[in-house]
Amino acid sequence: MFTDKKNVLELISLLKAHSIEHAVLCPGSRDIPIIQGISQFSDISCYSVTDERSAGFFALGIILSLKKPCAVIVTSGSALLNLHPAVAEAFYRQLPLLIISADRSAAWIGQMDGQTVHQTDVFHSLVKYSGTLNEIKDDTDKWMCNRVCNEALLALTERPFAPVHLNVPIGDPFFSFKENCLPAVRVINRLLLSDLDKVIFKHRKIMLVLGQNDIDYRLSESEKEALAQRFTVYCEHIGNAHCSKFIYAGDGIFQSITNHNTNLHPDLVISLGGHIVSKQLKQFIRKIECTHIAINDDGKIYDVFTQLRYVIKASFQDAINYLCRIDNIKNDLHASKFAFSLDPKKTVIPYSQIGITKSVLTKLDFPCCLHLANSSTVRYASYFKLPPFISVYSNRGVNGIEGSLSAAVGAACAIPDLLHFILIGDLSFFYDMNALWNVQLKQNLRIILFNNSGGEIFAALPGLTLDERSGKFVTAEHQAKGRLWAQECGFKTYEVTDNDGFLKIFDEFIRNDNTNKFMEVITDKTKDIDALKIFKAQLKLKANLD
């Protein structure tokens, strides 16, 4: 029988799955659920040592003799602190020591309750990984517990070796042993790039997701063609791999796919590159049953789709080269099914932020750099295709509104022979307006400020209803204009209030005439939201029409 503590069950199951074969067990009360579970397995050799100071070094002796990792399990409080000398020794000798500490509920730490100390990250720089397996109350807790435990056990066996610490809070009561067997758990494993084809050949509906790619290797046209022949490729603008045979506009596509469109559900997702903008894509993959393989430079676990099964440590270029060479792939997930039945270029959108965004992007038909600020700007831009000679940048590392303008200005100063177009909303602009107060400015900036007197995207959040008073605070309503500041900074400025006004000045605006230019597009936030709804209503997948 096993404990009913779900975080402990997850831990024990993964210790077994990751082939931890040796454990030193120290007596106590709070670690009883862990010790009781581990001791059930004949394939885990258990050793009893009372003194934690000795137990840590005892475990090091096992590691040295067998050349395998060893776990040491201790109870809460000062028991964990007594492992410090052994942990330091293991760190400086690069030995794979796994420290598992039972802990009390965080609420009681510092409240004069027995055997409670701050145990999280207690070893600081002496471990290569430190994680907490919080008690599981819902599916998100379970996913996080599983991910953290997988991360720790993968880190334990990756060179250079070093100690790894898992802290396991166990609340009262904890003496209930009701479970007959351990649960099935998701195991995340490492995979060599050279073995990727073996996994691919086991699947018939394969999606390749190309994430943000700012400074890495850029795909050639022949590589794009090779990938499109083998996989269903999803790539946003910030992936900088524009191709007519790739699918794009995730929020438009994946919100249209229902649970009944199982023919559009991939059974294998391979991700490569950095961040993904589309929230709908993330939610779509999280809800279906599939295998996710993440390929990245550092070999770390990035489980954004909550379906991760394999991690491959490889460079972007090496991965692309390998994927382009795999032949005889049977992929029944056809990219043509993900195409919009309505050409966005021919779509009539009322004057609005998304309408002007469409007009701008469909008119950029020459080499330039496009910088997309966060929130609505980067999302609206994703609906419209771009030619392959445009480079796209956006601050998607943290997705904050700060710094979008400054980063774009810096890029424009570094590459003065190209025009740099910056699409930015009003809150992002005013937050970062000092970016224009810069003596290094070149004459290659084209700033398009969408000003609807507040954060329209917050008011458009699905299911959100705000009264007039709270709405003003959430959307940060204002009456500020940006043109006067741009003029002070040497820009030629334009104001646009309707489609005719935009069309009248746009050719002049994009002309490369050694002048920085600033266009302020004045819209109404209510009409912006209505225009977005009209546009989305016109977008339908071919698959939904078949």
Side-chain angles (χ1 to χ4, degrees), residues 259-278:
N259 291 333
H260 302 295
N261 295 123
T262 55
N263 60 317
L264 296 181
H265 292 184
D267 56 13
L268 175 63
V269 175
I270 303 170
S271 66
L272 179 60
H275 291 259
I276 297 295
V277 175
S278 174

Side-chain angles (χ1 to χ4, degrees), residues 62-262:
I62 293 173
I63 295 169
L64 292 167
S65 295
L66 302 178
K67 308 296 188 290
K68 293 181 178 181
C70 181
V72 57
I73 291 91
V74 300
T75 194
S76 63
S78 59
L80 178 61
L81 305 182
N82 287 324
L83 287 179
H84 235 115
V87 173
E89 181 73 13
F91 179 80
Y92 287 108
R93 289 175 71 181
Q94 296 186 344
L95 299 177
L97 175 67
L98 174 60
I99 307 109
I100 299 173
S101 55
D103 199 359
R104 304 286 175 126
S105 295
W108 292 107
I109 297 174
Q111 301 305 306
M112 298 187 180
D113 199 37
Q115 288 185 279
T116 55
V117 299
H118 288 284
Q119 296 183 195
T120 302
D121 200 28
V122 71
F123 297 113
H124 302 293
S125 60
L126 295 177
V127 293
K128 70 187 299 187
Y129 185 94
S130 179
T132 297
L133 305 184
N134 287 316
E135 294 200 79
I136 296 173
K137 301 180 181 64
D138 55 32
D139 288 342
T140 301
D141 289 340
K142 186 177 188 299
W143 165 74
M144 183 175 180
C145 181
N146 176 274
R147 175 179 59 79
V148 169
C149 196
N150 271 293
E151 285 177 344
L153 296 174
L154 286 178
L156 184 70
T157 55
E158 185 178 33
R159 293 179 182 276
F161 298 134
V164 165
H165 177 208
L166 281 173
N167 193 53
V168 189
I170 301 174
D172 295 320
F174 60 94
F175 291 156
S176 176
F177 303 102
K178 299 178 180 179
E179 300 298 322
N180 292 319
C181 60
L182 291 174
V185 293
R186 176 187 61 154
V187 182
I188 301 174
N189 286 310
R190 298 206 178 278
L191 189 69
L192 296 175
L193 185 60
S194 57
D195 292 329
L196 177 56
D197 58 339
K198 298 181 180 65
V199 179
I200 288 176
F201 290 145
K202 294 178 182 178
H203 296 82
R204 297 297 297 268
K205 294 191 292 183
I206 309 165
M207 177 176 288
L208 174 63
V209 177
L210 298 178
Q212 186 166 21
N213 182 15
D214 294 315
I215 61 174
D216 220 323
Y217 173 80
R218 295 294 174 90
L219 273 63
S220 66
E221 293 305 310
S222 61
E223 287 171 330
K224 295 175 188 177
E225 182 68 29
L227 292 176
Q229 288 176 359
R230 291 162 171 79
F231 309 100
T232 297
V233 184
Y234 173 84
C235 184
E236 298 168 336
H237 295 330
I238 59 175
N240 285 294
H242 315 290
C243 177
S244 61
K245 295 183 179 180
F246 292 176
I247 58 175
Y248 70 107
D251 282 352
I253 291 174
F254 296 104
Q255 70 188 3
S256 302
I257 301 176
T258 68
N259 291 333
H260 302 295
N261 295 123
T262 55

